């Protein structure tokens, strides 16, 4: 019974996305948004040497790619680029004339050319290589970034909190890394990297790697990322940054005017990590630091491993918006440890992460706070679904010949969370926790497709599909997280309108209504608001990484909130639930910290705190996760 229900849910999840607009089947695991010939070559490591010029707003770089050769007969290496100027390409060789010592390394120039650019994907960089039986090749590319590099966001001093130095940050998800590094820009390729970054001596550089907060500002910074990660998680920021420690393995990088407030706001990060490890298994990234970006950062957060990039608008002074930290931390398991193989599979990142976020919030701040966040997310989903085409309302959507940024609606986030909440409610916390830990262990440091996820659910040891009956007291009518502790009266309460001791009100008729509205059998269990609180709460979820909308019809979460003042929003949330009274650090003068300035020219995306909104971004830039 339970196995059949699960398989039906999995089948319906993919049914609408199995065939594309051209009526041809989608090839699972094939990345339609990369030129890279990953079946012949795979990048396993990058060595970066970058020179950042904040005045000229450019990066001069040299990247050495260590490549695993899969086809000894292949004679062309294809990389992804967009708006890059390629100066030279060389290949490492020790068997050529001119080598005076046996182990001397010689770099030989190789022919290359750029293919005709595609407006979404950029240009393929085709490098001619001789056939070889060597297992590994090293190719070096000398390049410069262009003025329209979509992933590079250059800020003047006026656009920062300190108003003293310029600032650079990267926002590469989904396919922006190719605008500042030539590489195989597909999430199915994971690589380690080292980097040396040269800057002005008055600023500090940080990356999604091992950072040394004690390193003196000398204009040269070295980084190591020992774990293999997808290209979109390679991240860089340069600015007038200071560091504040918040725990044994946590800390905050920020500009000086916001550093103290940020450290107070994010003081619970270490507790979040501890709670997450109990639920999902060990944290495998050594440290988890937070980089608070300038007020003009246009998205809520980006889950770069070891160093999440966060908007300053989550610093509300009462921890009412720290769910964005829980979300980015949860990505350390779902997204960073186990990644989507293509952007069609992004729900595996975001939906699972949304579910993990709710578990973290429940463990650290209590069930009522987690339920409130879940209801806000559900309402955001209901608001957006009518604006989406039917084929874009499923989890694994067809993105062929489309911008992969279109995948980042509320559907992969909230519908994905609802799907996992359904499984959690049906099989119980204990069994589902074991499944999640096994899932993360099995696919650790790999990128998988939706089909691989489905296969794992069906065939893995202890899979749900092998259990014919759900745990006693847990089924389609049960509350998410209900363990049967209410006894026989639970079903009576449900029929009467809701099981109040479980903290959730559910009606079977409402379940049918939700299934009809959302078009998804996995949402038979949906959190319903008690005492009409949904009318008293915000219309959307602030702080949960709003999409950067190039298209007017695509709304982001700050827009769903109607650009409301976070102070007013926080007051309403406290009045509705009274949940946050025990988590209020000293108040800060936010008006003095976030001074408005004329250079923050709106582009249709307005931050909740910076009234003027984000600066206009280069064409092709998309939201972060």
């Amino acid at each position: 019974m339970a196995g059949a229900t699960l398989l039906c849910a999995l089948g319906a999840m993919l049914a609408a996305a199995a065939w594309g607009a051209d009526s041809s089947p989608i090839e699972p695991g094939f990345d339609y948004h990369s030129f890279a010939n990953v079946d012949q070559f795979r990048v396993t490591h990058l060595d970066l040497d970058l020179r950042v010029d904040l005045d000229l707003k450019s990066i001069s770089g040299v990247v050495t790619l260590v490549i695993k050769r899969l086809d000894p007969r292949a004679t062309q290496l294809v990389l992804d680029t967009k708006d890059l100027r390629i100066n030279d390409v060389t290949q490492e060789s020790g068997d050529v004339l001119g080598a005076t010592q046996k182990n001397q390394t010689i770099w030989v120039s190789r022919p290359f050319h750029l293919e005709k650019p595609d407006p979404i994907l950029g240009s393929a960089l085709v490098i001619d290589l001789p056939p070889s039986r060597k297992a590994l090749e090293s190719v070096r590319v000398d390049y410069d970034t262009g003025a329209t590099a979509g992933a590079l966001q250059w800020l003047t001093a006026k656009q920062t909190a300190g108003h003293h130095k310029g600032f650079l940050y990267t926002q590469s998800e989904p396919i922006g890394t190719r605008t500042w590094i030539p590489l195989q820009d597909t999430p199915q390729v994971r690589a380690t990297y080292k980097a040396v970054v040269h800057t002005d001596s008055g600023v500090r550089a940080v990356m999604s790697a091992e950072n040394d907060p004690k390193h003196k500002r000398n204009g040269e910074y070295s980084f190591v990322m020992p774990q293999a990660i997808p290209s979109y998680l390679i991240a860089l920021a340069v600015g007038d940054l200071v560091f504040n420690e918040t725990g044994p393995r946590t800390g905050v990088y920020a500009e000086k005017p916001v550093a103290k407030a940020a450290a107070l706001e994010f003081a619970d990060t270490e507790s979040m990590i501890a709670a997450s490890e109990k639920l999902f298994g060990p944290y495998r990234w050594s440290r988890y630091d937070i980089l608070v970006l300038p007020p003009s950062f246009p998205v809520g957060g980006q889950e770069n491993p070891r160093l999440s990039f966060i908007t300053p608008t989550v610093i509300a002074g009462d921890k009412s918006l720290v769910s964005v930290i829980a979300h980015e931390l949860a990505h350390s398991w779902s997204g960073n440890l186990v990644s989507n193989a293509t952007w069609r599979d992004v729900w595996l990142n975001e939906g699972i992460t949304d579910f993990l976020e709710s578990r973290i919030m429940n463990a650290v701040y209590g069930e009522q706070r987690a339920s409130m966040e879940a209801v806000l997310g559900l309402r955001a989903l209901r608001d957006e679904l009518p604006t989406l085409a039917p084929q874009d309302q499923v989890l694994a959507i067809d993105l062929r010949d489309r911008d992969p940024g279109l995948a980042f609606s509320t559907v992969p986030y909230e519908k994905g969370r609802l799907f996992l909440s359904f499984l959690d409610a049906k099989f119980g916390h204990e069994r589902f926790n074991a499944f999640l830990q096994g899932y993360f262990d099995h696919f650790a440091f790999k990128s998988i497709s939706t089909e691989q996820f489905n296969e794992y659910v069906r065939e893995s040891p202890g899979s749900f599909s092998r259990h014919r009956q759900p745990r006693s007291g847990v089924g389609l009518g049960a509350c998410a997280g209900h363990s049967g502790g209410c006894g026989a009266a639970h079903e009576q309460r449900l029929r009467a309108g809701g099981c109040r001791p479980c903290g959730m009100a559910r009606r079977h008729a409402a379940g049918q209504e939700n299934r009809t509205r959302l078009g998804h059998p996995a949402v038979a269990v949906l959190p319903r608001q008690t005492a009409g609180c949904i009318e008293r709460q915000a219309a959307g979820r602030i702080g949960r990484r709003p999409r950067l909308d190039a298209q007017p019809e695509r709304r982001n979460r700050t827009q769903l909130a109607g650009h409301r003042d976070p102070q007013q929003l926080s007051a309403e949330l406290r009045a509705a639930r009274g949940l946050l009274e025990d988590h209020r650090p000293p108040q800060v003068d936010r008006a003095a910290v976030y001074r408005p300035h004329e250079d923050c020219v709106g582009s249709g995306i307005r931050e909740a705190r910076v009234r003027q909104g984000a600066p206009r971004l280069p064409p092709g830039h998309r939201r972060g996760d």
Side-chain angles (χ1 to χ4, degrees):
M1 180 72 174
T5 302
L6 174 60
L7 295 180
C8 287
L10 290 171
M13 178 177 64
L14 291 174
W19 296 80
D22 58 3
S23 298
S24 62
I26 295 174
E27 184 178 343
F30 181 81
D31 192 346
Y32 292 91
H33 297 96
S34 173
F35 297 114
N37 52 340
V38 296
D39 56 333
Q40 296 178 317
F41 298 93
R42 287 257 177 165
V43 173
T44 61
H45 178 79
L46 295 83
D47 278 312
L48 291 162
D49 191 300
L50 306 176
R51 188 168 299 276
V52 178
D53 193 318
L54 293 175
D55 295 324
L56 296 179
K57 298 183 178 180
S58 68
I59 294 179
S60 298
V62 175
V63 58
T64 302
L65 305 171
V66 179
I67 303 166
K68 183 178 181 180
R69 181 184 275 271
L70 304 178
D71 183 354
R73 297 170 298 179
T75 58
Q76 287 188 328
L77 168 66
V78 183
L79 304 177
D80 293 301
T81 75
K82 189 174 184 180
D83 300 324
L84 291 178
R85 184 173 71 247
I86 307 300
N87 301 319
D88 190 24
V89 176
T90 56
Q91 179 187 16
E92 182 183 37
S93 177
D95 302 322
V96 297
L97 294 177
T100 58
Q101 299 180 13
K102 185 176 181 180
N103 296 326
Q104 183 177 358
T105 300
I106 299 295
W107 292 90
V108 180
S109 292
R110 293 301 182 198
F112 67 91
H113 69 275
L114 289 169
E115 296 283 357
K116 182 180 178 180
D118 177 271
I120 296 175
L121 305 182
S123 302
L125 172 59
V126 182
I127 302 170
D128 294 334
L129 299 176
S132 173
R133 295 189 177 274
K134 292 173 59 177
L136 296 177
E137 304 273 8
S138 291
V139 174
R140 178 178 291 173
V141 182
D142 185 306
Y143 66 95
D144 295 293
T145 61
T148 57
L152 300 181
Q153 304 306 309
W154 303 93
L155 308 180
T156 65
K158 289 183 178 181
Q159 292 174 297
T160 67
H163 300 287
H164 296 303
K165 298 284 186 179
F167 204 101
L168 163 69
Y169 65 85
T170 62
Q171 180 62 35
S172 298
E173 189 180 33
I175 56 171
T177 308
R178 66 189 68 183
T179 68
W180 64 288
I181 306 173
L183 77 177
Q184 294 177 325
D185 194 14
T186 168
Q188 62 189 247
V189 173
R190 302 176 69 101
T192 58
Y193 77 86
K194 294 182 179 179
V196 177
V197 180
H198 307 273
T199 70
D200 184 328
S201 59
V203 294
R204 176 183 295 276
V206 292
M207 292 193 76
S208 56
E210 295 177 350
N211 291 278
D212 182 6
K214 298 181 181 179
H215 189 284
K216 294 183 179 180
R217 298 189 184 189
N218 60 2
E220 183 173 304
Y221 302 89
S222 298
F223 305 93
V224 176
M225 170 49 81
Q227 291 102 342
I229 61 174
S231 56
Y232 74 90
L233 294 176
I234 302 175
L236 167 68
V238 178
D240 188 11
L241 300 170
V242 297
F243 178 80
N244 282 280
E245 188 175 276
T246 58
R249 48 185 171 170
T250 61
V252 177
Y253 290 91
E255 294 181 90
K256 192 172 182 179
V258 301
K260 185 177 180 180
L264 289 171
E265 195 80 1
F266 306 142
D268 294 337
T269 306
E270 187 71 38
S271 299
M272 289 184 180
I273 295 178
S276 301
E277 288 183 311
K278 291 180 181 178
L279 295 169
F280 321 128
Y283 180 78
R284 311 188 196 201
W285 304 93
S286 180
R287 287 189 60 84
Y288 179 78
D289 294 320
I290 294 170
L291 171 64
V292 180
L293 289 164
S296 47
F297 184 53
V299 297
Q302 174 63 33
E303 71 275 14
N304 305 313
R306 296 174 180 255
L307 186 68
S308 289
F309 286 17
I310 302 296
T311 174
T313 61
V314 303
I315 306 175
D318 58 6
K319 301 186 182 180
S320 58
L321 303 177
V322 295
S323 61
V324 71
I325 304 301
H327 183 90
E328 307 308 330
L329 172 62
H331 270 302
S332 300
W333 286 266
S334 173
N336 298 358
L337 184 64
V338 182
S339 307
N340 52 271
T342 73
W343 296 110
R344 171 178 176 259
D345 310 303
V346 75
W347 78 271
L348 291 172
N349 278 21
E350 300 304 343
I352 297 177
T353 294
D354 249 26
F355 176 79
L356 302 188
E357 173 201 331
S358 66
R359 298 293 296 276
I360 295 172
M361 294 298 290
N362 182 76
V364 178
Y365 297 104
E367 181 182 0
Q368 283 188 315
R369 172 73 182 270
S371 297
M372 178 186 68
E373 298 283 350
V375 169
L376 294 176
L378 175 60
R379 183 164 184 177
L381 174 63
R382 286 172 167 168
D383 287 345
E384 185 169 17
L385 277 178
T387 71
L388 299 175
Q391 62 269 25
D392 290 340
Q393 296 181 19
V394 297
L395 291 180
I397 71 173
D398 184 5
L399 290 167
R400 288 177 293 181
D401 299 320
R402 304 168 70 193
D403 189 329
L406 294 174
F408 291 89
S409 67
T410 54
V411 170
Y413 292 83
E414 297 302 334
K415 218 171 191 183
R417 176 183 63 80
L418 291 170
F419 176 53
L420 268 71
S421 296
F422 163 76
L423 299 180
D424 183 51
K426 190 165 188 64
F427 299 102
H429 277 341
E430 183 178 348
R431 187 183 298 174
F432 197 59
N433 281 353
F435 166 78
L436 286 175
Q437 292 193 25
Y439 168 76
F440 293 133
D441 288 339
H442 183 77
F443 292 112
F445 300 106
K446 296 179 182 178
S447 300
I448 68 170
S449 66
T450 299
E451 289 72 20
Q452 287 175 285
F453 174 85
N454 292 348
E455 187 67 21
Y456 177 77
V457 171
R458 293 187 183 101
E459 302 299 334
S460 63
S463 168
F464 303 131
S465 61
R466 302 185 181 213
H467 297 278
R468 303 194 65 82
Q469 293 295 335
R471 218 165 73 178
S472 175
V474 181
L476 286 179
C479 300
H482 175 61
S483 59
C486 297
H490 175 71
E491 293 298 330
Q492 294 178 350
R493 293 193 184 100
L494 282 175
R495 286 192 292 271
C499 185
R500 296 293 177 178
C502 292
M504 306 290 283
R506 284 191 177 78
R507 299 178 187 272
H508 294 295
Q512 180 60 43
E513 173 194 349
N514 290 328
R515 287 193 293 275
T516 302
R517 289 188 62 181
L518 301 184
H520 195 317
V523 295
V525 180
L526 292 178
R528 294 188 58 80
Q529 196 73 331
T530 61
C533 286
I534 194 167
E535 283 78 17
R536 300 198 299 272
Q537 292 180 349
R541 188 179 296 186
I542 291 291
R544 175 75 72 70
R545 294 196 295 180
R547 291 197 314 278
L548 184 62
D549 294 340
Q551 294 84 8
E553 68 273 11
R554 294 174 57 208
R555 298 176 296 169
N556 58 60
R557 298 189 182 203
T558 51
Q559 289 172 323
L560 286 173
H563 313 297
R564 302 172 70 178
D565 188 331
Q567 281 187 289
Q568 178 187 356
L569 173 61
S570 298
E572 291 179 4
L573 296 182
R574 286 195 300 272
R577 288 287 191 178
L579 300 176
L580 309 175
E581 297 301 324
D582 296 331
H583 307 288
R584 300 176 67 182
Q587 296 294 312
V588 295
D589 184 3
R590 291 179 294 278
V593 171
Y594 301 105
R595 292 186 293 270
H597 47 79
E598 295 180 356
D599 286 1
C600 282
V601 180
S603 60
I605 308 302
R606 295 178 58 184
E607 287 286 25
R609 189 172 302 280
V610 183
R611 300 293 182 83
Q612 292 79 6
R616 184 173 300 277
L617 300 177
H621 184 78
R622 293 292 180 266
R623 75 188 278 274
D625 156 36

